[in-house]
Amino acid sequence: MDNVWLQTSWLIPLYPLMGMLLSIPWSPAFIKKTGPRPAGYVNMLATLVAFIHSVGALCYLWGQPPIHWNFLWFQVAGLSIELPFTLSGLSLGATTLIIALNFLVQLYSVGYLEMDWGWARLFGLLALFEGGMVMLVATDSLLFSYVLLEILTLGTYLLVGFWFNQSLVVTGARDAFLTKRVGDLILLMAVIALYPLAGTWNFDELAVWASSADLSPLTETLLGLALVVGPMGKCAQFPLHLWLDEAMEGPLPSTILRNSVVVSVGAWVLIKLTPVLALSPVGQTVAIVLGALTAIGAALIASAQVDIKRVLSYLSSSYLGLVFIAVGAQQVGAAYFLLLTLGVAMATLVASTGSVILTCVTQDLTQLGGLWARRPVTGFSYLIGACALVGLPPLGSFWSVRTLLDGLWYAGDYVLVGVLLVANAVIAFCLMRMFGLMFLGPTQVMTTRAPEPIWSVMLPMMALAAMALHAPIILHSMALLPIGAVGTMGILLLLSSLIGGGLGVFLYGMRAKENPEKILPGWLADLFAYDFYTPKIYQNTVILAVATLANISDWLDRHVVDGAVNLVGLVSVASGESLKYNNTGRSQFYILTIAAFVVIIGVFMSLATFLA
């Protein structure tokens, strides 16, 4: 019995997929009398079974060597492609976290979308997310990781476009899908190029190959850049970060998953490719530069936004920028810790702010205020999520970010240490700014009557807050999070959190200034508020170039290609019409015509001979 949990662990990703298939009968086209609610309950039951199975497997596997499975997927001639899975303590821990978050999101959806008739579609797509992510963290193949990333991209498109009768929703789904396709195509090039070089797509075998690979500088550079650009789009890093903001048009329960774990899957694959990325110093440098720009830039943009969802989307990009820095600096352990702590903290933040949006019917921060007296449970949940995201001990992000700071300090990367401290301070400022605008200050029109929402929204929100509180203890007991002395880096990290958070409370909680935005010059405030004018830059560069090429292609198609075809058709019609009137049916006319052309040909040949 001890091995049953492990021997059947390959069933874990199949449970949510079975729930997704069982949701189909409750779409409006089939079973109509019961309504769509049974689809949600079926998926919740499937997710609960998957959670119990993953916890049981984790308990038996912990402290044991990883388990490897290989399933033959494709074989023809001399080519054999297998689907490998590796179950380790880390992968099963990530699996358990993903399934737990998905179950809480499903329960959250029961209350948040209580009157929506798209339950079957929503819960089916949430199950697709769950199954895809579970398989992604367990697979040991770069090829199948890419395939699963594509499936998750499709799921993102469908969930963002959930309310497809709204124009903004359709635009957001399209933009999110197309933006991610840019990185996907470049990553596909790297996946295809790696196989003839390494002879394998297995992550462990790629690490062994990379330890002794001898590639040309150009090949190393191109390979490293391609491996970075692919996850860059998935993780919403500059300049492919706009899609995450567009994706906020989807249902808020799906935003909890997307901002916490779905957006992190690209970074998970990149972390596994760290040994290959180490072959390219240029690729490592690009990862660090992109991560640093996104960590600080996205946090600065978030500090000037008035939309709750926009603030959280940019903060997700900012935090994942720290992960890119860790990968570029070869700090693999810190990168994994950052992903694990980000998942719980961001899920808590989105769930708590979502409950505010649900009852206040607005996500504009300027229309909120004074909610602390009316929404104490939501306020505490938000504070726990905020403290868990920044460097405040004893919560998880403090130890993960401090681990990265220690590694960078010992490696002599002092500039990156400064970047992390500044980014952490700005993130803390953004979170406390939002807390002050929502929960402190005078009551606004939209918050006059704003009680706590129903239990199916409150319970998962409080459970996520409890997970954020206990995550450090759980991870430390599993030897996944190195909790120890605070140290010099810990003190600096704590100071940056206190300075940033204190400034946010002072300006927006205590209302020390009537318009804190006016502290900055107008041009600088507009620069942050309008996303460094990135949409306009895209409009005047990429979009303008594509539109110009499309117009040129359209002109050529209409006037050159169509013109040539129309000319041939016109000549054929004209010649046919001319010949029609020459068919008199008289043999004398035909003989005369033949004789005339014989004379013309004879004259032409004589002139040619004479001129020659």
Side-chain angles (χ1 to χ4, degrees), residues 16 49 51 55 194 255 277 293 295 403 427-428 444 510 523 544 577:
V49 173
F51 177 74
V55 171
L194 259 178
T255 302
L277 186 63
L293 290 176
T403 301
I427 291 174
Q444 302 289 337
M510 300 172 62
W523 65 269
L544 179 61
E577 289 292 330

Side-chain angles (χ1 to χ4, degrees), residues 589-609:
F589 181 78
Y590 297 149
I591 294 172
L592 178 62
T593 302
I594 293 172
F597 274 99
V598 169
V599 172
I600 292 172
I601 294 172
V603 171
F604 177 77
M605 294 178 66
S606 300
L607 288 175
T609 305

Side-chain angles (χ1 to χ4, degrees), residues 475-529:
L475 293 176
H476 180 61
S477 64
M478 299 170 64
L480 291 178
L481 191 64
I483 298 178
V486 173
T488 304
M489 290 296 102
I491 294 175
L492 293 177
L493 181 61
L494 176 60
L495 288 176
S496 71
S497 300
L498 294 177
I499 292 172
L503 185 61
V505 173
F506 178 72
L507 293 177
Y508 293 92
M510 300 172 62
R511 302 298 199 272
K513 291 186 68 67
E514 185 176 353
N515 293 310
E517 292 80 9
K518 293 185 177 180
I519 296 176
L520 298 175
W523 65 269
L524 186 58
D526 290 340
L527 185 68
F528 297 157

Side-chain angles (χ1 to χ4, degrees), residues 202-258:
N202 186 284
F203 286 115
D204 293 334
E205 295 175 359
L206 284 174
V208 175
W209 166 79
S211 63
S212 59
D214 185 16
L215 303 177
S216 66
L218 179 60
T219 302
E220 292 176 350
T221 300
L222 293 177
L223 185 61
L225 291 176
L227 292 178
V228 171
V229 172
M232 178 179 74
K234 298 293 184 185
C235 298
Q237 300 294 287
F238 281 176
L240 301 178
H241 63 289
L242 295 179
W243 74 265
L244 189 58
D245 177 44
E246 297 283 348
M248 296 299 145
E249 298 294 341
L252 191 135
S254 67
T255 302
I256 299 175
L257 274 183
R258 183 170 52 250

Side-chain angles (χ1 to χ4, degrees), residues 12-44:
I12 294 176
L14 298 183
Y15 295 131
L17 298 181
M18 291 171 59
M20 180 182 67
L21 294 176
L22 293 175
S23 303
I24 295 176
W26 281 281
S27 62
F30 296 98
I31 300 176
K32 300 179 180 179
K33 293 185 179 180
T34 63
R37 297 181 73 90
Y41 303 141
V42 167
N43 278 277
M44 291 176 64

